[in-house]
Amino acid sequence: MTEGNFVDYVKVHVSSGKGGKGSAHLRREKYVAKGGPDGGDGGRGGHVIIKGNKNLWTLVHYRFKKHFKAGHGEHGGKSRSTGADGEDVYLEVPLGTVVRDSETNEILFEITEDGEEKMVLEGGMGGRGNWHFKSATNQTPRYAQPGIDGQEKQLTLELKVLADVGLVGFPNAGKSTLLSVMTSAKPKIANYEFTTLKPNLGIVKYRDFRSFVMADIPGIIEGAAEGKGLGHYFLRHIERNASLLFLIPADSKDISQEYAILLDELRRYNPELLDKNRLVAISKCDMLDDELIEEMREDMKEDFKDVPYLFISSVSGLGIQELKDRLWVLLNE
């Protein structure tokens, strides 16, 4: 999937259908001059329903079509015939989609399961036919109810990527390169910051035909929790990842300080993110010899005593298999 086709935020306008009118028909048959009222009810208007689809990864199918309108209910007929219901409209979304009311920004619900359906707008009720209104004092009512109008709403669909492992790090830390080595994904890779502007997903093939999903999230900068840089645009994607893999390059000025800044940004955005399982990978270690790696390992013991860490290189393949093993254990704890 190309970066331009990854759409994770759209606004759509939806309308439910109007209910059909009830019939004011009076029964007239041969030899039955005054058969009385027999007008049927109108059909209900179509509903607007949001449905989860596990085969969708993005909201790109709503990039150009933004208006959705359910069908109107048919009018009632004679012989107490009820009109047909209006056709429902289904908006299929990928799992992890949050649905908001665009006017109030209130979260209406979230779709997290395949086939899950949530009604966002109910169709208008059909009007009742005249046979409902007959009585001892009004035996031939010549009126029926009109149908109830449908509703309209502006919705915001916001996708939070569902993945087993989310890559967290500063820009140009080597996240996209690692994703391209561990999976068949082909993210854009270049030697400048913010090469990745949209999340990339890849499937990591593990032993015995097992696999897990890894997401490359655009780089975090200090102040992202307040919206600086790409800010909230991508931090929401980290919320849906089961485990977090922090990637810090070996040539960083202060590895411990970088890790502390990343943790602080996640905490300020959503403290619950710190409850997820974490693993730290020191990337770009092909630049180091064994002696220097050992020295760094000793220096990191104190600051990283509460979180597992390892040294890797996407270029030379150093530690890649160990990283897969560690992630698999982390995901199945």
Side-chain angles (χ1 to χ4, degrees), residues 168-170 173 175 245-252 254-260 262 280-285 300 304 310 312:
V168 180
F170 282 104
K175 300 184 296 297
L245 173 61
F246 288 79
L247 213 61
I248 303 174
D251 57 357
S252 296
D254 190 333
I255 291 175
S256 301
Q257 180 66 16
E258 278 206 15
Y259 178 62
L262 291 170
V280 177
I282 311 303
S283 63
K284 305 183 181 180
C285 288
M300 292 172 58
F304 290 86
L310 74 164
I312 66 167

Side-chain angles (χ1 to χ4, degrees), residues 26-332:
L26 297 174
R27 182 180 167 213
R28 292 289 183 269
E29 295 179 27
K30 196 175 182 180
Y31 309 121
V32 183
K34 297 180 180 180
D38 71 342
D41 302 341
R44 67 155 176 84
H47 303 317
V48 178
I49 299 167
I50 308 288
K51 183 177 181 180
N53 185 339
K54 66 180 181 181
N55 296 316
L56 297 176
W57 292 90
T58 172
L59 297 167
V60 68
H61 48 298
Y62 299 121
R63 172 180 273 182
F64 301 112
K65 186 176 180 183
K66 307 262 186 188
H67 293 264
F68 298 88
K69 196 168 186 178
H72 297 314
E74 298 288 336
H75 302 323
K78 60 183 180 181
S79 304
R80 298 190 186 181
S81 298
T82 301
D85 292 340
E87 187 176 353
D88 297 334
V89 162
Y90 287 85
L91 276 68
E92 295 198 337
V93 297
L95 308 188
T97 298
V98 177
V99 180
R100 295 178 183 268
D101 185 318
S102 297
E103 291 184 9
T104 64
N105 208 34
E106 174 195 359
I107 294 179
L108 303 177
F109 50 82
E110 299 180 30
I111 299 291
T112 56
E113 296 180 13
D114 184 42
E116 180 181 1
E117 294 183 5
K118 297 277 189 181
M119 188 187 302
V120 70
L121 281 184
E122 195 171 348
M125 287 180 58
R128 293 197 295 177
N130 63 346
W131 72 275
H132 287 282
F133 304 106
K134 66 180 181 180
S135 65
T137 55
N138 185 11
Q139 295 186 359
T140 55
R142 287 175 166 80
Y143 53 85
Q145 285 182 330
I148 296 176
D149 288 335
Q151 308 168 58
E152 294 186 26
K153 194 182 285 283
Q154 186 87 5
L155 299 177
T156 299
L157 305 180
E158 189 177 282
L159 173 61
K160 296 181 180 180
V161 165
L162 283 171
D164 299 309
V165 178
L167 288 170
V168 180
F170 282 104
N172 212 23
K175 300 184 296 297
S176 297
T177 306
L178 179 63
L179 185 75
S180 69
V181 169
M182 294 185 65
T183 75
S184 297
K186 293 179 174 57
K188 183 180 178 183
I189 299 170
N191 190 27
Y192 55 84
E193 296 186 350
F194 290 112
T195 311
T196 302
L197 296 175
K198 302 283 181 71
N200 291 302
L201 294 176
I203 297 175
V204 180
K205 293 179 181 177
Y206 192 59
R207 295 186 172 98
D208 303 325
F209 302 103
R210 293 174 293 184
S211 63
F212 56 90
V213 178
M214 179 179 279
D216 167 23
I217 311 294
I220 291 177
I221 63 171
E222 199 166 358
E226 282 75 46
K228 190 176 177 183
L230 296 178
H232 298 155
Y233 182 75
F234 63 83
L235 275 171
R236 69 172 180 268
H237 292 296
I238 299 174
E239 292 183 284
R240 286 290 180 275
N241 299 328
S243 299
L244 302 179
L245 173 61
F246 288 79
L247 213 61
I248 303 174
D251 57 357
S252 296
K253 292 180 181 177
D254 190 333
I255 291 175
S256 301
Q257 180 66 16
E258 278 206 15
Y259 178 62
I261 292 172
L262 291 170
L263 276 185
D264 187 55
E265 289 302 324
L266 296 187
R267 178 189 59 77
R268 285 155 63 191
Y269 177 72
N270 183 353
E272 292 180 7
L273 292 176
L274 300 188
D275 295 334
K276 295 179 182 291
N277 290 332
R278 303 196 294 268
L279 175 65
V280 177
I282 311 303
S283 63
K284 305 183 181 180
C285 288
D286 51 287
M287 303 182 294
L288 312 176
D289 56 25
D290 294 342
E291 187 177 339
L292 193 51
I293 289 177
E294 205 53 46
E295 280 183 29
M296 291 177 65
R297 199 186 300 274
E298 287 297 319
D299 293 339
M300 292 172 58
K301 271 185 179 177
E302 185 62 31
D303 293 329
F304 290 86
K305 58 186 177 183
D306 297 326
V307 59
Y309 63 91
L310 74 164
F311 294 83
I312 66 167
S313 168
S314 301
V315 175
S316 67
L318 171 70
I320 296 298
Q321 187 56 52
E322 183 186 355
L323 176 60
K324 290 183 180 181
D325 293 336
R326 292 274 199 100
L327 290 173
W328 186 259
V329 171
L330 208 62
L331 292 170
N332 290 279

